[in-house]
Amino acid sequence: MSWYRNTVWFVKGLREYTRGGYESASKHFNPADIEVDVAGRSFLVTGANSGIGKATAKEIARRGGTVHLVCRNKERAEVAQEEIVTETGNQNIFLHIVDISNPKEVWKFAEKFRNEHKLNVLINNAGCMVNSRELTEDGLEKNFATNTLGTYILTTALLPLLGKEADARVRQQVVLTERWAKAHRNIHFSVMHPGWADTPAVRSSMPDFYERMKNSLRTEAQGADTVVWLAVSAEATKLPSGLFFQDRQPVATHLPLASTHSPLEDEEKLMAVLEEFSQNFRSSLPGT
């Protein structure tokens, strides 16, 4: 029975993450939630040169927001910037070349950014799915450096800047979202699952899965929908900070029987390790 229940939940979850799942959920969306003018508000989107990051940036730009694109590849980022400006008519699209897997680079960027700009919403979209062990120049495992440490450093460095603004928001990973939501009551934290979308990351990192599922995958815009909703909708902040969302609805962080809960001591150890890494890389910068 345990195997059967797990199989049922897996199939149900997989269906919900596809294009069909989005189309079903979207029947209950209120279009007015994201029909808003966010001119004067500043948004930072990491990994914004393609996929869900670019789709998110484009939708925010359509609504008048000032958008800071944080990307690793200069050439692809410049193409994305031009595309967003051309399609939306919004000239307030700014480009920053930063490798999120490089902690010193992230610190340097964040400290410069908070001295020169304001920030209302931070969208941590950048991530990687490296299937074989790969180390960065600092000796860090690539997935950890990008998906966890770099994102941790960027967020902690920008929290003081976010704290100055009304209705400040962050999208972050599950454990960090829950911890920071408790520690920073004046900032609204949330995390979301975009579903399985047809993005360059899925095509390159999960080729077999992509071939099997390509006719059922969500579009990039469908994958970005909940990110945009969390970033611009007044409805999102009526819900408690620290929740996990799928298709504009808060959902359980863990699937039944999945055994993915982390003991409190493990979460505390993770936060301590991240802070130690963060401060060590910060102290290695010239002039600090």
Side-chain angles (χ1 to χ4, degrees):
M1 287 299 294
S2 175
W3 174 87
Y4 174 77
R5 287 195 300 269
N6 276 319
T7 301
V8 169
W9 276 106
F10 174 77
V11 173
K12 180 176 182 290
L14 188 61
R15 187 184 307 120
E16 289 178 350
Y17 291 154
T18 63
R19 184 169 60 247
Y22 174 84
E23 291 169 349
S24 176
S26 65
K27 294 176 183 178
H28 306 287
F29 291 174
N30 181 0
D33 282 359
I34 58 174
E35 290 174 359
V36 296
D37 183 351
V38 292
R41 285 176 65 78
S42 175
F43 300 77
L44 189 156
V45 185
T46 65
N49 67 294
S50 67
I52 289 170
K54 185 173 73 172
T56 298
K58 193 177 293 184
E59 291 304 316
I60 292 170
R62 291 190 203 281
R63 292 158 176 77
T66 295
V67 186
H68 295 272
L69 312 176
V70 175
C71 307
R72 179 175 56 86
N73 184 289
K74 187 174 185 292
E75 291 182 4
R76 290 202 295 266
E78 288 175 343
V79 171
Q81 180 188 30
E82 183 178 358
E83 178 185 325
I84 293 169
V85 170
T86 301
E87 290 191 18
T88 68
N90 187 337
Q91 299 295 318
N92 294 317
I93 312 299
F94 302 99
L95 183 58
H96 311 271
I97 305 303
V98 184
D99 183 351
I100 298 296
S101 72
N102 185 320
K104 292 189 286 292
E105 200 171 308
V106 176
W107 264 119
K108 185 177 179 180
F109 161 73
E111 294 190 336
K112 185 175 186 290
F113 186 91
R114 69 186 184 191
N115 288 328
E116 298 177 353
H117 304 280
K118 77 167 195 172
L119 183 62
N120 297 96
V121 182
L122 170 61
I123 300 173
N124 289 307
N125 168 76
C128 66
M129 292 185 286
V130 179
N131 296 320
S132 57
R133 182 171 174 80
E134 183 179 328
L135 301 181
T136 68
E137 63 183 36
D138 296 301
L140 301 168
E141 194 277 324
K142 188 67 173 288
N143 290 297
F144 168 75
T146 306
N147 302 339
T148 308
L149 181 59
T151 303
Y152 175 88
I153 292 172
L154 182 63
T155 305
T156 53
L158 294 179
L159 282 174
L161 188 62
L162 286 158
K164 294 177 182 178
E165 303 297 329
D167 190 19
R169 311 184 192 188
V170 177
R171 180 194 161 220
Q172 183 52 277
Q173 292 185 340
V174 173
V175 171
L176 301 183
T177 293
E178 294 172 345
R179 305 282 297 199
W180 278 333
K182 294 174 183 176
H184 303 278
R185 302 288 185 177
N186 60 328
I187 300 173
H188 195 271
F189 291 85
S190 52
V191 63
M192 58 80 67
H193 195 301
W196 292 112
D198 188 349
T199 65
V202 169
R203 292 195 293 271
S204 63
S205 300
M206 306 171 69
D208 293 339
F209 173 84
Y210 174 75
E211 284 301 317
R212 289 197 303 271
M213 297 295 297
K214 61 183 178 182
N215 294 325
S216 301
L217 296 177
R218 298 181 178 202
T219 66
E220 293 174 348
Q222 290 172 342
D225 177 81
T226 297
V227 187
V228 176
W229 183 81
L230 289 168
V232 307
S233 170
E235 294 302 308
T237 52
K238 292 179 182 178
L239 295 164
S241 181
L243 297 182
F244 178 62
F245 289 83
Q246 179 182 330
D247 292 330
R248 303 192 189 183
Q249 291 294 318
V251 295
T253 317
H254 306 276
L255 290 173
L257 310 176
S259 301
T260 55
H261 291 270
S262 301
L264 179 60
E265 56 268 29
D266 286 355
E267 292 185 8
E268 291 175 346
K269 183 178 180 180
L270 170 65
M271 298 300 286
V273 167
L274 289 173
E275 182 62 15
E276 182 180 359
F277 270 125
S278 174
Q279 293 306 318
N280 285 344
F281 282 111
R282 185 185 190 187
S283 64
S284 68
L285 292 174
T288 58

